[in-house]
Amino acid sequence: MADEQEIMCKLESIKEIRNKTMQMEKIKARLKAEFEALESEERHLKEYKQEMDLLLQEKMAHVEELRLIHADINVMENTIKQSENDLNKLLESTRRLHDEYKPLKEHVDALRMTLGLQRLPDLCEEEEKLSLEPACHVISKFIGMHLYALCAKPRVGPGTPKSQNGSRMNEEMENPWSPATHNLSPWPE
């Protein structure tokens, strides 16, 4: 009887060992699956971090590119502003010289006529470079007006009195360059 109990005890132990071994094998299989999932997730995390680093590098490259574009825009804005200032100074200087030239030419023409000589040709007749018409074309592009119309000779009506040299003159349009005459000014105020 003692042998039977010992055998029964051993059989119970074997049954318990078998159950515990099966339980252990299940846990081991789950543990193995968890380790594989862990390794896979670690690989994915590493890939995500590498991708994030690449995206940050690309972002910084774009930020630098934008910074350079903004710097170029600032340089161009300053260059345009300086060019406009230079153009305005040159136009003002040209206008002043024209204002000095016109009465002097009229005086010289009057003196020549007293001697029976022909009047001198106008600036735009004499040489194209001395005409303000091209400058007016340049200005019109910037301010959107066709200011070269200021450079044209004013039309006069049939009742306008003739000048000493025979051409008609319009007393209202004594100075075709005067901004007040045309209500347009190519020069900034």
Side-chain angles (χ1 to χ4, degrees):
M1 187 110 179
D3 286 341
E4 269 183 38
Q5 278 186 342
E6 192 178 325
I7 291 172
M8 287 299 289
C9 205
K10 284 183 179 181
L11 283 174
E12 285 292 322
S13 292
I14 290 172
K15 184 181 176 185
E16 190 180 348
I17 289 171
R18 183 176 171 267
N19 288 339
K20 296 289 181 185
T21 303
M22 285 176 60
Q23 190 180 353
M24 191 179 72
E25 287 299 323
K26 286 180 184 177
I27 291 173
K28 186 178 172 184
R30 283 177 52 196
L31 194 58
K32 187 177 177 185
E34 291 289 324
F35 270 120
E36 287 174 0
L38 181 65
E39 287 175 351
S40 174
E41 201 56 43
E42 282 178 344
R43 280 195 307 274
H44 289 144
L45 183 59
K46 189 176 180 182
E47 289 172 7
Y48 299 151
K49 286 184 176 180
Q50 288 174 345
E51 187 65 27
M52 183 67 153
D53 288 342
L54 291 173
L55 288 170
L56 286 172
Q57 288 174 11
E58 189 176 350
K59 175 190 168 190
M60 293 312 293
H62 286 301
V63 167
E64 179 63 16
E65 191 176 346
L66 281 173
R67 191 191 66 73
L68 292 172
I69 290 170
H70 283 292
D72 288 346
I73 288 171
N74 288 337
V75 168
M76 284 310 297
E77 283 175 347
N78 291 335
T79 303
I80 288 169
K81 202 177 288 183
Q82 183 62 44
S83 181
E84 286 173 346
N85 288 339
D86 292 346
L87 180 66
N88 288 334
K89 286 177 186 174
L90 285 168
L91 284 170
E92 183 61 29
S93 171
T94 305
R95 187 183 61 79
R96 271 190 264 112
L97 283 172
H98 184 268
D99 289 347
E100 286 179 34
Y101 175 83
K102 187 173 179 181
L104 190 59
K105 182 188 179 301
E106 288 172 358
H107 183 68
V108 168
D109 282 346
L111 289 174
R112 288 175 65 90
M113 291 188 72
T114 59
L115 298 174
L117 299 172
Q118 287 185 341
R119 67 176 191 82
L120 294 172
D122 288 333
L123 282 176
C124 55
E125 295 170 3
E126 195 173 300
E127 191 173 334
E128 191 176 314
K129 284 184 180 177
L130 293 178
S131 171
L132 289 179
E133 192 168 329
C136 292
H137 283 292
V138 170
I139 294 284
S140 69
K141 287 181 184 175
F142 284 108
I143 57 177
M145 294 184 212
H146 296 289
L147 295 176
Y148 55 86
L150 293 176
C151 303
K153 290 183 180 177
R155 292 188 171 189
V156 294
T160 306
K162 290 187 177 183
S163 68
Q164 295 173 351
N165 63 1
S167 65
R168 295 188 183 274
M169 58 181 213
N170 188 341
E171 291 173 14
E172 292 176 2
M173 303 290 278
E174 188 174 305
N175 183 0
W177 294 101
S178 169
T181 306
H182 300 283
N183 293 325
L184 291 171
S185 174
W187 299 281
E189 295 180 2

